[in-house]
Amino acid sequence: MVLNIGVIGAGLIGRDHIRRVTDDLPGARVSAVADVDLDRAKSVAAGLPAAKPLPTGLDVIADDDVDAVLVTSWGPTHEEYVLAAIAEGKQVFCEKPLATTREACERIIDAEVAAGKRLVMVGYMRRYDPAYRALKAAVTAGEIGAPLMFHSVHRNPAVPPHYSSNMIINDTCAHDVDITRFLLESEVAAVRVLTPARRNRRDPEHLTEAMLVLEMANGVLVDVEASINIAYGYDIRGEIVGETGTVSLGEATPTVLRRDGGYRGQVPANWQDRFRSAYDAEFRAWIAAASRGESTGPSTWDGYATTVVCETGLAAWRTGDRVEASLRDKPGLYGDPVTPASHE
Ligand SMILES: NC(=O)c1ccc[n+]([C@@H]2O[C@H](COP(=O)([O-])OP(=O)(O)OC[C@H]3O[C@@H](n4cnc5c(N)ncnc54)[C@H](O)[C@@H]3O)[C@@H](O)[C@H]2O)c1
């Protein structure tokens, strides 16, 4: 069976996923494309073997030639499309965020629970990155004893002009929050946000450096350094400190050159380079599951929990206080009531 995917939002990552489905991965093809910019939808569809442009995202979801839906439009539009896909009974892959507010995520939880089955996968692709998986496997195997602390570093060379100060927390750090929950198998209980008194002269108007301190419900302490204007490259680091050792992500350089008494590697230029294999693996997993009529990977609950933690982080930043993150009761559809699923 070939899974027919309808795409809503043919922007940067939408087109990247379309290329992935069309050129790189077996088992699926793009059958419909919509974008608020209809000309963009038409030109993207024209370059594909079996896709038609449709006027709106809701037309994509309702179309008989669409088995499963890919939502890659702007964050505030995700709720409407995810709810419509659930109502249609179609599997949906929604790029992060699941939705931009706690309330919107809760409406999606309610709809999916009423549908009685998981239909939503959220695009937190770091869970599929081989290096993060190896990190988690080392902890699970007991290599460092029980984890006590986690250092997470998220550095971007630059961000686009529309990137507001809030986005360092609810867009950049969202990935760190999700991977922290995945690695440590615990929810975030409280958040503090510290920012340097000295502003980056490359963009003094915006907050481009922040440190989040996350207290996990299982007692592990986490710091997240986000530096989103650091010029030198896209650098993702992580180290878990345990009772008897530590385990960290390796360097992401493909080669190391040694000469003249020194050595030199490469830092990835951007997130597309760093996480290419993670995006491929998450899509392989989604295509396989959706073809069976199932969902997998980061769930609606995971999307909700991360949105709540980011909202909590924004409150902590504004007030300068330690703010507790409160989640509603976890429906049985999403597994263990306390621990975030360690799945797939
Ligand atoms: N997982 C990741 O690492 C990752 C990376 C990049 C982007 N994203 C997420 O993907 C989403 C899209 O990001 P992007 O960088 O591709 O943005 P983008 O602006 O390049 O593309 C978004 C596209 O959606 C279209 N669009 C907007 N509203 C729409 C609507 N109501 N219906 C149909 N189309 C609509 C826009 O015209 C645009 O073509 C965001 O939620 C972003 O956070 C995730």
Side-chain angles (χ1 to χ4, degrees):
M1 172 202 169
V2 172
L3 185 75
N4 287 309
I5 297 176
V7 180
I8 304 173
L12 187 63
I13 202 156
R15 291 199 303 272
D16 199 43
H17 289 329
I18 287 171
R19 180 200 50 72
R20 179 167 286 110
V21 167
T22 308
D23 298 336
D24 294 350
L25 301 180
R29 68 181 166 206
V30 174
S31 57
V33 181
D35 196 290
V36 276
D37 179 347
L38 187 56
D39 288 340
R40 179 176 289 183
K42 283 180 181 164
S43 84
V44 169
L48 298 171
K52 58 188 169 193
L54 289 172
T56 72
L58 295 178
D59 294 320
V60 166
I61 292 163
D63 196 272
D64 287 342
D65 293 332
V66 169
D67 304 320
V69 178
L70 171 58
V71 177
T72 46
S73 50
W74 295 319
T77 68
H78 292 181
E79 179 193 4
E80 178 188 12
Y81 295 134
V82 173
L83 286 173
I86 292 172
E88 199 70 33
K90 291 186 178 176
Q91 291 290 332
V92 54
F93 180 103
C94 178
E95 257 311 336
K96 45 77 46 180
L98 170 66
T100 48
T101 65
R102 168 200 292 266
E103 293 75 18
C105 292
E106 290 188 352
R107 288 189 284 273
I108 296 172
I109 290 176
D110 291 340
E112 202 177 32
V113 168
K117 64 182 280 202
R118 272 196 60 188
L119 289 154
V120 182
M121 175 170 172
V122 186
Y124 284 113
M125 77 296 171
R126 286 190 183 191
R127 294 172 180 229
Y128 292 91
D129 177 61
Y132 274 117
R133 290 197 157 228
L135 197 67
K136 183 167 165 109
V139 175
T140 307
E143 304 269 14
I144 60 168
L148 300 173
M149 293 183 284
F150 174 42
H151 306 291
S152 188
V153 172
H154 191 151
R155 297 185 185 144
N156 257 295
V159 290
H162 72 267
Y163 217 83
S164 65
S165 291
N166 284 357
M167 291 178 80
I168 191 170
I169 294 173
N170 63 18
D171 191 69
T172 297
C173 292
H175 282 291
D176 300 86
V177 169
D178 181 71
I179 200 66
T180 297
R181 296 176 59 257
F182 176 71
L183 290 171
L184 301 175
E185 297 184 17
S186 180
E187 297 293 359
V188 176
V191 187
R192 265 173 285 199
V193 177
L194 304 171
T195 59
R198 172 176 290 187
R199 281 293 169 93
N200 187 330
R201 283 174 296 180
R202 297 181 70 232
D203 183 3
E205 297 301 309
H206 291 106
L207 182 65
T208 56
E209 292 76 27
M211 188 162 288
L212 272 60
V213 178
L214 309 177
E215 295 170 35
M216 307 304 287
N218 65 1
V220 179
L221 190 62
V222 179
D223 64 86
V224 178
E225 175 216 301
S227 304
I228 59 172
N229 193 14
I230 203 161
Y232 77 87
Y234 182 80
D235 200 3
I236 299 300
R237 293 165 180 263
E239 181 179 28
I240 300 178
V241 179
E243 293 168 313
T244 56
T246 79
V247 58
S248 45
L249 298 175
E251 293 293 340
T253 180
T255 56
V256 177
L257 174 69
R258 289 182 167 78
R259 54 175 286 185
D260 301 330
Y263 58 90
R264 180 168 186 172
Q266 296 92 44
V267 179
N270 51 46
W271 45 269
Q272 292 96 326
D273 283 356
R274 171 62 183 82
F275 285 114
R276 188 176 314 279
S277 64
Y279 290 113
D280 287 351
E282 73 171 353
F283 259 69
R284 245 183 251 113
W286 181 57
I287 290 167
S291 299
R292 297 190 303 269
E294 295 169 6
S295 192
T296 188
S299 67
T300 295
W301 179 261
D302 295 312
Y304 159 72
T306 293
T307 293
V308 168
V309 173
C310 291
E311 275 189 3
T312 307
L314 288 174
W317 175 45
R318 277 188 221 108
T319 59
D321 294 336
R322 169 186 180 276
V323 182
E324 294 190 358
S326 68
L327 299 175
R328 68 188 267 180
D329 288 343
K330 187 176 185 178
L333 185 61
Y334 305 113
D336 183 283
V338 177
T339 310
S342 62
H343 50 59
E344 315 106 354

